[in-house]
């Protein structure tokens, strides 16, 4: 093997370029070490995370464990809210917004806790001797196998590092090799941003152990006399070094390897966390047990088991959008040149990188991916790296079902179950309401009271949005057993809505008050005064929650009385409105500013991720949504940019969605690079700073450009940009239990589609070119409402259109609509007619 590799090196300019050009479809690769954390490469197994810098001299492996948070089990409800509720509502109806804001700040916002931060475990530092003068440098993240590699040459010796976070054995494994014996020498130490106990295990002299607790924490917004929430998460992180050849010694909390032929390092981390109410586990026993089991296996078996487990998810979807000359360049160069060049393979890599990150940060039985997934270098990260549930946490899971990662959705579903328990007390104490509530932010401890001040936190429908996910998961699977298990969370979310809806004085519509349109206020208000009544997003969320709970109850044949109440309530909700600027109104009153470029477009929830706005069913709303997006503009922060990609895909405008992809895939974070949102060299989303929701939003957005299944039919390549004339995708899922096993297009037209029906029932397909069965048999044109129960059409009230609005007639690209009866397990093969 070495002889062949040497031949390649002679032929090519450099060692790195050879490896890069050898099948780099699913590889991020670089010709220099990471300059900072935003260039390090992420590894994760859903519980353990590592950021790898790839430095030949001073390697840093920054470590995370997804249950290491500050604080401990606690509640943060404000019991003063219930008494103040009526007065706040009256102030809002009297348009005394400043007074309403002050009273909400005083009586609703938590006086106990504003949420706990997610924290880093710390760092494993490997300092190598005599490695400064390295050449032929190369590092990669192989997202097809979930393995990181670093390679370089010093004085004619080739050094290799291979690292992965094992899904199957729950340890991080590093293997160090060189092509000459006795050439590996380094010291290993561990540290954390604040004091923690670090020691070497002296019996065998080959074990580093660092232990400690998550921080005691108190938000600066709280009064001085408020006690901190005690840090109760205990962690144990340990590193075992097993050299082949050479010597290993332990001195001063450091392990030293001298003149080894190869070395394997096992990193085990565990905490005492059991669930959001229980921190009674044995962190030390857990960490020791993971380590003891892993070191009994051969290295080759560790690698094989790890990659095989990972690939059962990753390999479900493949995407080919074409290649270009750009693929020969390092990933950071490709990111920098994407906007001004042509690199369809980078868009495909970005899509698959999002799937890699979701598999790596959200595993069944574990915690949901937070604001940074599971990768965090701080003790007090931006926005606590918590669960911001007014868009960010939901966006993390937009790709889960459509990109065939339904198991990765499970941690979020479990979080909803837990919030539906914790939030019952909050609903009762703060609102005197039935059901459960969560506001705009929560954490590992499932706090449900409002935090961060009334400007951001006075929003009681965070749980209402989260609960949509449990229904959406069912829409893809049709699993009635699953639906029965999550129905209580749906029912509780609807019961809260029914309890707190009140009639507004002008039209007697039922609305939520007090609330906000996340994190935004109307023109003309004093800064930070966002409090409102009956915002458009809340109206949409309540409509969706009641509609979906009704459907679930009827499928399960339960709660007939509640169903009747919800059906009556639906008739009393406000309609969506098209305002004077031809926009979807964000508030009940026509207060939108067409020059407003705010990052949140909450009132377009009804377009995406919901399906309340359709070009085929309610074109006025559809046009209003498009006008709203045009007025808000394209430039934005990371997650907002990627929400807009999804929105433009839903507007069936692939070229505009692709334009925003160019705004997202632009290199930031380096000297001389553009400011604002974009992509760091390691392909993580820059809000800035890093937020992982942008990565996930990009992946879901690209999927929406290729397959949509929200508007009564499976729409194939609904928003294909002109630059992707030819391509194919395999494995995307559609609502109704359908899998797009293969979809191929040429010159912008579908040439072949294979769709598997897992549940049976009517398959309705929409396409821009006419299709036929593979045997030439003609398809039946669809005429009536889709009979498939998974494609019921939302009964949206006709929108109210301002007299000042002047909507133009909507022109849509002509499409064909076909109905195909299917049986469970059947494959339908369609070809271009």
């Amino acid at each position: 093997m070495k002889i062949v590799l040497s031949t390649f090196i002679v032929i090519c300019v450099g060692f790195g370029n050879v490896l890069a050009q050898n099948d780099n479809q699913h590889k991020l690769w670089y010709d220099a070490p990471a300059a900072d954390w935003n260039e390090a490469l992420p590894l994760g197994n859903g519980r353990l995370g590592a950021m790898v810098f790839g430095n030949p001299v001073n390697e840093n492996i920054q470590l995370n464990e997804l249950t290491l948070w500050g604080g401990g089990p606690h509640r943060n409800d404000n019991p003063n809210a219930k008494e103040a509720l009526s007065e706040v509502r009256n102030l809002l109806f009297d348009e005394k917004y400043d007074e309403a804001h002050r009273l909400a700040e005083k009586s609703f916002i938590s006086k106990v806790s504003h949420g706990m931060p997610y924290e880093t475990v710390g760092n494993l530092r490997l300092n190598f001797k005599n490695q400064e003068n390295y050449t032929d440098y190369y590092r990669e993240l192989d997202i097809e196998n979930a393995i990181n590699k670093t390679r370089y040459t010093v004085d004619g010796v080739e050094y290799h590092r291979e690292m992965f976070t094992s899904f199957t054995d729950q340890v991080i494994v590093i293997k160090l090799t060189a092509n000459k014996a006795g050439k590996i020498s380094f010291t290993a130490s561990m540290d954390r941003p604040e004091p923690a106990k670090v020691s070497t295990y002296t019996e065998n002299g080959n074990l580093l152990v660092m232990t400690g607790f998550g921080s005691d924490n108190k938000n600066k917004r709280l009064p001085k006399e408020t006690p901190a929430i005690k840090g109760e998460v205990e962690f144990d992180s340990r590193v075992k070094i097993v050299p082949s050849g050479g010597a290993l010694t332990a001195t001063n909390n450091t392990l030293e390897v001298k003149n080894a032929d190869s070395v394997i390092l096992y990193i085990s981390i565990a905490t005492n966390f059991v669930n959001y109410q229980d921190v009674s586990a044995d962190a030390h026993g857990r960490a020791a047990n993971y380590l003891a089991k892993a070191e009994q296996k051969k290295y080759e078996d560790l690698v094989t088991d790890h990659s095989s487990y990972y690939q059962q998810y990753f390999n479900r979807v493949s995407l080919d959008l074409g290649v270009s000359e750009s693929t020969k360049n390092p990933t950071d160069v490709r990111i920098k040149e994407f906007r001004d060049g042509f690199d369809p393979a980078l868009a495909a890599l970005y899509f698959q990188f999002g799937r890699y990150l979701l598999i790596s940060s959200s595993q069944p039985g574990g915690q949901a991916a937070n604001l940074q997934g599971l990768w965090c270098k701080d003790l007090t990260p931006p926005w606590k790296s918590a669960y911001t549930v007014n868009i960010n946490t939901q966006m993390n899971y937009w790709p889960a079902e459509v990109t065939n990662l339904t198991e990765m959705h499970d941690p979020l579903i479990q979080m909803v179950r837990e919030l539906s328990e914790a939030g019952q007390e909050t609903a009762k104490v703060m609102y005197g309401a039935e059901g459960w509530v969560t506001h705009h932010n929560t954490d590992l401890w499932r706090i449900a009271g409002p935090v961060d001040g009334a400007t951001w936190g006075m929003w009681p429908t965070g749980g209402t949005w989260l609960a949509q996910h449990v229904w959406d998961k069912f829409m893809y699977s049709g699993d009635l057993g699953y639906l029965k298990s999550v129905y209580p969370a749906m029912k509780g979310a609807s019961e809260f809505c029914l309890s707190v809806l009140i009639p507004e004085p002008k039209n007697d519509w039922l609305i939520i008050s007090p609330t906000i349109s996340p994190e935004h206020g109307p023109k003309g208000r004093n800064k930070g005064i966002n409090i409102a009544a009956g915002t458009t997003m809340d109206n949409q969320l309540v409509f969706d929650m009641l509609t979906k709970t009704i459907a679930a109850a009827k499928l399960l044949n339960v709660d007939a009385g509640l169903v009747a109440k919800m059906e009556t309530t639906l008739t009393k909700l406000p309609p969506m409105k098209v305002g004077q600027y031809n926009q979807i109104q964000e508030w009940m009153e026509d207060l939108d500013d067409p020059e407003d470029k705010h990052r949140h477009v909450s009132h377009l929830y009804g377009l995406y991720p919901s399906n309340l706005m359709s070009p085929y069913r309610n074109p006025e709303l559809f046009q209003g949504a498009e006008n709203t997006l045009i007025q808000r503009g394209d430039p934005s922060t990371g997650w907002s940019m990627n929400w807009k990609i999804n929105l433009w895909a839903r507007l069936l405008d692939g070229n505009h969605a692709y334009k925003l992809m160019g705004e997202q895939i632009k290199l930031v974070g380096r000297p001389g690079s553009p400011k604002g949102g974009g992509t760091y060299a390691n392909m993580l989303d820059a809000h800035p700073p890093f937020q992982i929701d942008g990565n996930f939003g990009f992946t879901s957005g690209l999927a929406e450009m290729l397959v949509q299944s929200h508007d009564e039919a499976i729409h194939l390549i609904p928003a294909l940009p002109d630059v992707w004339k030819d391509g194919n995708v395999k494995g995307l899922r559609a609502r109704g239990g359908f899998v797009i096993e293969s979809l191929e297009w040429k010159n912008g037209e579908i040439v072949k589609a294979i769709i598997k029906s897992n549940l049976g029932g009517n398959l309705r397909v929409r396409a821009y070119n006419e299709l036929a069965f593979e045997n030439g048999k003609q398809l039946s044109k669809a005429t009536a409402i889709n009979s498939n129960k998974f494609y019921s059409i939302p009964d949206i009230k006709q929108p109210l259109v301002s007299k000042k609005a002047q909507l133009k007639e909507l022109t849509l690209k002509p499409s064909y609509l076909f109905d195909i009866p299917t049986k469970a397990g059947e494959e339908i093969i369609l070809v271009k007619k």
Side-chain angles (χ1 to χ4, degrees), residues 2 148 165 175 188 195 206 220 265 290-291 318 380 444 507 527 608 666 670 681 714:
K2 293 177 183 175
N148 167 268
T165 48
K175 184 174 184 180
N206 65 349
K220 294 179 181 178
L265 295 89
Y290 289 137
L291 193 58
S318 66
T380 55
L444 185 71
N507 300 283
K527 186 176 181 181
Y608 185 95
K666 65 179 181 184
R670 284 184 172 175
I714 298 176

Side-chain angles (χ1 to χ4, degrees), residues 391 398 465 468 472 476 536-541 543-544 548 576 582-585 601-630 632 640 642-653 656-657 660 700-701 704 707-712 715 718-719 735 794 796 810 812:
I391 174 64
W398 287 352
W465 192 352
Q468 315 289 337
D472 202 43
Y476 283 87
T536 295
M537 184 187 205
D538 279 359
N539 301 335
Q540 294 169 345
L541 285 168
F543 178 93
D544 265 359
K548 293 169 182 176
M576 284 178 275
N582 304 317
Q583 88 288 1
I584 299 294
Q585 288 184 198
V601 284
S602 302
H603 47 316
L604 296 188
Y605 159 87
L607 177 64
Y608 185 95
S610 186
N611 66 332
L612 305 182
M613 304 179 189
S614 162
Y616 306 106
R617 291 181 282 109
N618 39 35
E620 289 176 333
L621 290 176
F622 188 79
Q623 286 178 275
E626 182 179 52
N627 292 333
T628 298
L629 268 186
I630 291 171
R632 283 292 167 92
S640 180
N642 290 282
W643 190 358
K644 290 174 183 177
I645 291 173
N646 288 271
L647 290 166
W648 280 110
R650 281 285 174 93
L651 289 170
L652 309 179
D653 191 337
H656 204 135
L660 292 181
S700 63
E704 284 294 316
V707 174
Q708 295 182 19
S709 62
H710 63 95
D711 197 4
E712 198 186 2
H715 196 166
R735 292 170 179 85
I796 301 299
L810 182 63
L812 294 173

Side-chain angles (χ1 to χ4, degrees), residues 25 187 190 256 273 334 342 407 415 435 506 540 570 604 697 703 705-706 760 813 830:
Q25 179 187 4
T187 60
M190 299 184 76
E256 183 173 9
F273 180 86
R334 293 175 69 185
F342 175 67
E407 296 90 343
M415 187 170 89
K506 293 183 180 180
Q540 294 169 345
L570 283 173
L604 296 188
M705 295 163 76
L706 301 181
K813 187 176 179 179
L830 306 175

Side-chain angles (χ1 to χ4, degrees), residues 43 73 147 173 251 274 393 434 450 488 540 556 568 590 607 628 694 710 757 780 801:
L43 293 170
I147 294 175
V173 185
T251 56
V274 178
T393 302
E434 297 180 358
Q540 294 169 345
L556 298 173
T568 299
D590 196 352
L607 177 64
T628 298
H710 63 95
S757 174
S780 299
V801 183

